[in-house]
Amino acid sequence: MPFDLKEIASISGMPGLYKIIAPTRNGIIVESLAEKPVRSVAQARNRVSILQEISMYTNDAEATVPLADIFDRIKEKYGTNLPVNAKSSTQELSDFMESVLPDYDQERVYASDMKKLVQWYQAVSQFLPYAEEKATDAPAPEAAPAETTSAEDSDNQEDVKEKKAAKKKA
């Protein structure tokens, strides 16, 4: 997944997204994703949600779609110019979600979830690098079989015999 969301978190009681820097005794040190990043400590009592662990409901009761996959779909379809923002109407947000994730569960994905998705995508796309996936269509180069000459084989066999003989003497 091109956006690396392993160290990006949303913290209850703190606006915006944060990059996790290091653990402390009482919580974690985080740095805000902003023009001028500010470091602070998120206490252990705060609920920290890692973005990589978040997913959205689909109409299939058993399946959800990870947030990173949704971000990839948004990047492919819209790039950084989204047709909606966090202040868009519920209908506009719903249309946007349907264009990105057609089978999202309209009963369990609320307008507030869609607003968060838009805000988070804008922050992530602005402050995190997007790593293009490597082309997997090209066949992998096959490793050439190791060729040994008969002289090398006999040298190797003699080395093995010498080692065995040395072990017997010891």
Side-chain angles (χ1 to χ4, degrees), residues 20-169:
I20 297 172
I21 304 298
T24 66
R25 285 183 177 177
N26 301 328
I28 54 175
I29 298 172
V30 294
E31 183 176 85
S32 63
L33 288 183
E35 291 293 326
K36 294 183 179 179
V38 176
R39 287 192 179 189
S40 58
V41 175
Q43 300 296 322
R45 68 177 179 260
N46 293 82
R47 192 176 84 222
V48 177
S49 301
I50 307 297
L51 292 192
Q52 182 163 343
E53 298 172 357
I54 297 174
S55 57
M56 288 206 149
Y57 294 112
T58 61
N59 289 325
D60 181 3
E62 303 273 327
T64 59
V65 178
L67 195 59
D69 288 349
I70 297 171
F71 282 0
D72 289 342
R73 292 178 185 188
I74 294 171
K75 177 78 174 171
E76 287 175 13
K77 189 161 185 142
Y78 298 105
T80 56
N81 299 323
L82 298 182
V84 293
N85 59 35
K87 296 183 182 193
S88 296
S89 71
T90 304
Q91 183 59 44
E92 290 172 329
L93 290 167
S94 181
D95 292 343
F96 170 74
M97 274 303 298
E98 203 159 303
S99 72
V100 174
L101 187 64
D103 61 335
Y104 83 99
D105 190 341
Q106 295 178 359
E107 293 178 8
R108 295 191 290 175
V109 177
Y110 302 109
S112 60
D113 299 329
M114 293 181 247
K115 288 178 183 181
K116 277 186 197 173
L117 174 75
V118 170
Q119 288 175 327
W120 289 352
Y121 176 77
Q122 289 172 336
V124 166
S125 65
Q126 184 177 3
F127 296 108
L128 282 183
Y130 183 81
E132 294 292 332
E133 290 186 74
K134 295 179 182 174
T136 55
D137 296 339
E142 293 182 24
E147 294 182 24
T148 57
T149 61
S150 59
E152 287 176 358
D153 287 340
S154 62
D155 287 343
N156 289 339
Q157 289 173 356
E158 288 175 16
D159 289 341
V160 171
K161 287 179 186 177
E162 289 175 12
K163 288 179 184 177
K164 285 183 182 178
K167 283 184 182 178
K168 285 182 183 178
K169 289 182 184 179

